[in-house]
Amino acid sequence: MKVLYCVSEAVPYVKTGGLADVAGSLPGALRDLGHEVRLVLPRYRPIPRENLTPLFPLRIEVGGAPVSGLVLEGRSPSGIPVYFVDCPRFFDRGGLYGEGGRDYPDNLLRFAFFSRAAVAIAAQAFPPDLVHCNDWHTGLIPAYLHQRERAGQRSWPTLLTIHNIGMQGLFPAAEFPGLGLLEDYFGPDGLEFWGKVNCLRAGLVFADVLNTVSETYAKEIQTAEFGAGLEGLLSRRSRDLFGVLNGVDYGQWDPRVDAHLPARYGPDDLDGKRFCKRALQQDGGLEPLPYAPLLGMVSRLTDQKGCDLVAAVLPALLKQGVQFVLLGTGDPRYHALFSHLARTHPRQVVAALTFDEPLAHRIEAGADLFLMPSRYEPSGLNQLYSLRYATIPVVRRTGGLADSVVDATPEAVDDGTATGFVFDDYTPPAFLAALDRALSAFRDPVLWRRIQQAGMRADFSWGRSAGRYAALYREAVGRRVGGLAGETA
Ligand code: ADP
């Protein structure tokens, strides 16, 4: 099947979070299943124009005036063709979505332009069997395709993947006329959400099939607690909504081959992990104690990720002699909080408040425990990485965390399926209780090794998930049979 995969970030070009990891590895896994996948990505500043071939010019009316751009073609290191939407006015900037903690004020126009460029690529360069949209940045694509179809122009089936329902792309209603959509698209059956433009909602209404990135999250977002206001619409479309857990690119994330590590290791020999721990302690100025439990965390520092829970339990844990290494950026409140902790406990706490891919790998390898007490977690990748790195995850039972970590109950330990420590209530005592269980397991080397081994053996490679995406593509295409797709030129 021919798939045009439209996304706002992808490894190895640009990354702010898990979306880029997915976009960097799913297309290759689909290709391995025999599909022809091509990516559409904005050409941001860090992506050099050299080695890209100009394909065709763009002239798209957004914000009431024509904006020019260019489609450039390249190939990713893993051989996936990539169409870059080049428009310096919108994408040649210091950040992807904003700078200094503030979103760019013209984000709606930027991603409307990108979405319409993707439609132009489908029409002029690569007519696909299906357009795969991801998150709010590409949520307008199904609306634009719907409008084309109404006008008797060629259109294509669509799948929209929700990577995080909390990010919807909300903009003032006054900006709607700049999108080039007919007036009736702004209404309760369209993009409108409490008087605002909601880009994700456009995709949720007009895409043929929807999915999110774990089965549990697919159920959760149909409830008021997790649906961020879109639960009603999602429940109405529940027959079209599926859950597919993200996979891991073990070419990048496996301690046997990871080039970022000071030593490599695998399930049969964990000596390298001990070396990685010592190196992480030394680099961070921590006491080089092999028996001090080292807790790691790599995360956007937002309320979603449970930073407040971590801050609440850390003082008690530090008294017990644990060490903590944090890598993350985000909410200035959490920057202040964690840098204060690092200043007051220089031999026990490291707070690296930056984005640092190699350090993320070294924390995965060097830590004993990995913390993900998320309020909600659509899929989560770090817990999957942690399992492979024998770094036992302590997670809240939500979304993809619930679907991928098996709590170390006595029964699960006995039958060899336990891979981590899971808690339910979003409260400091519940989190602390899980950590207490984890720390007492840490003091029992045989038990610890057993849990580590089970995690390292778990297989979350993309193959299976890619097969499920292929099935969703077939589903979306099947729904158009007899419809307008592909019938008009
Ligand atoms: P989300 O997509 O919600 O941010 P995920 O767990 O799905 O969460 O994916 C996060 C990805 O981003 C992981 O690959 C993680 O290692 C990476 N990451 C997050 N923050 C940083 C950081 N400060 N430095 C390096 N990598 C980071």
Side-chain angles (χ1 to χ4, degrees):
M1 203 173 286
K2 287 172 151 183
V3 178
L4 195 62
Y5 190 95
C6 307
V7 70
S8 62
E9 55 181 274
V11 166
Y13 301 105
V14 281
K15 165 170 167 176
T16 68
L19 175 61
D21 287 325
V22 174
S25 44
L26 174 58
L30 285 160
R31 180 195 46 201
D32 295 346
L33 296 179
H35 301 283
E36 186 180 355
V37 185
R38 299 193 182 183
L39 229 65
V40 185
L41 196 67
R43 193 193 70 77
Y44 298 104
R45 186 175 292 170
I47 303 170
R49 270 212 194 85
E50 291 84 65
N51 304 325
L52 302 180
T53 314
L55 218 56
F56 63 90
L58 292 164
R59 197 173 158 80
I60 295 170
E61 184 146 325
V62 286
V67 177
S68 300
L70 187 63
V71 175
L72 303 164
E73 194 179 11
R75 204 167 266 274
S76 79
S78 57
I80 300 290
V82 186
Y83 297 108
F84 292 98
V85 175
D86 192 25
C87 176
R89 173 175 152 190
F90 283 147
F91 299 119
D92 189 2
R93 299 188 182 179
L96 267 54
Y97 314 119
E99 279 170 69
R102 271 209 303 275
D103 288 344
Y104 293 129
D106 57 352
N107 270 347
L108 179 62
L109 298 186
R110 296 173 76 224
F111 288 101
F113 181 88
F114 177 64
S115 296
R116 293 182 66 180
V119 172
I121 289 165
Q124 295 180 45
F126 181 65
D129 295 307
L130 175 129
V131 180
H132 187 162
C133 308
N134 293 277
D135 275 354
W136 76 263
H137 322 91
T138 52
L140 291 171
I141 293 175
Y144 287 127
L145 290 177
H146 188 266
Q147 180 162 282
R148 278 175 67 91
E149 203 172 301
R150 279 169 75 182
Q153 289 176 302
R154 185 163 184 192
S155 174
W156 297 272
T158 45
L159 169 70
L160 173 77
T161 301
I162 306 158
H163 296 263
N164 190 337
I165 198 90
M167 308 203 181
Q168 301 179 1
L170 289 172
F171 300 93
E175 293 186 35
F176 176 79
L179 297 181
L181 284 168
L182 296 171
E183 221 168 279
D184 59 355
Y185 282 89
F186 189 72
D189 296 328
L191 286 63
E192 196 259 343
F193 183 76
W194 300 102
K196 290 190 165 179
V197 170
N198 183 325
C199 294
L200 184 65
R201 193 174 203 283
L204 298 182
V205 170
F206 293 107
D208 294 288
V209 174
L210 311 171
N211 85 293
T212 184
V213 286
S214 68
E215 286 181 10
T216 295
Y217 194 60
K219 292 193 198 95
E220 287 174 339
I221 56 176
Q222 297 179 50
T223 68
E225 187 184 351
F226 293 95
L230 294 172
E231 60 276 5
L233 172 58
L234 288 165
S235 313
R236 285 197 294 283
R237 294 211 63 185
S238 64
R239 285 163 47 114
D240 309 324
L241 171 62
F242 301 86
V244 183
L245 191 70
N246 284 337
V248 174
D249 179 353
Y250 287 124
Q252 301 289 326
W253 292 95
D254 188 323
R256 285 177 288 204
V257 297
D258 191 332
H260 296 299
L261 305 186
R264 286 183 228 351
Y265 59 94
D268 301 326
D269 182 3
L270 288 174
D271 276 354
K273 182 166 178 68
R274 283 183 275 279
F275 190 88
C276 289
K277 177 173 178 179
R278 196 161 56 242
L280 187 62
Q281 288 171 319
Q282 270 162 1
D283 292 348
L286 304 175
E287 300 239 30
L289 302 170
Y291 299 110
L294 178 46
L295 316 186
M297 183 165 179
V298 179
S299 180
R300 290 183 291 112
L301 302 180
T302 63
D303 291 337
Q304 181 204 333
K305 298 292 183 177
C307 296
D308 51 338
L309 285 189
V310 175
V313 301
L314 261 185
L317 295 171
L318 292 172
K319 283 201 188 98
Q320 295 178 39
V322 308
Q323 300 179 336
F324 178 59
V325 177
L326 167 78
L327 169 63
T329 57
D331 192 330
R333 219 161 27 105
Y334 293 124
H335 282 228
L337 212 149
F338 288 115
S339 50
H340 174 75
L341 267 172
R343 264 198 316 276
T344 49
H345 300 80
R347 300 291 276 164
Q348 274 181 288
V349 176
V350 178
L353 303 173
T354 167
F355 196 93
D356 185 337
E357 182 87 28
L359 181 56
H361 289 246
R362 293 201 301 273
I363 293 174
E364 285 289 2
D368 298 301
L369 286 156
F370 198 91
L371 308 187
M372 285 183 84
S374 306
R375 207 177 273 278
Y376 70 94
E377 193 60 72
S379 168
L381 288 169
N382 279 304
Q383 85 280 12
L384 305 178
Y385 303 154
S386 300
L387 294 172
R388 184 49 66 105
Y389 283 70
T391 301
I392 294 179
V394 182
V395 306
R396 180 153 176 267
R397 197 185 316 276
T398 183
L401 299 173
D403 294 355
S404 58
V405 179
V406 179
D407 187 34
T409 58
E411 303 77 46
V413 170
D414 274 350
D415 65 23
T417 55
T419 56
F421 295 87
V422 185
F423 67 100
D424 288 282
D425 294 345
Y426 190 87
T427 60
F431 185 29
L432 205 50
L435 283 161
D436 279 343
R437 289 195 291 133
L439 292 174
S440 62
F442 180 71
R443 289 188 287 270
D444 177 342
V446 176
L447 171 60
W448 194 250
R449 183 66 190 243
R450 197 173 162 81
I451 302 172
Q452 281 180 314
Q453 292 285 355
M456 290 187 99
R457 276 198 307 270
D459 182 5
F460 290 99
S461 51
W462 265 109
R464 204 170 55 103
S465 299
R468 298 208 52 203
Y469 273 101
L472 294 186
Y473 295 161
R474 285 192 291 275
E475 178 80 27
V477 171
R479 288 180 189 206
R480 290 288 190 100
V481 171
L484 284 168
E487 284 181 9
T488 44

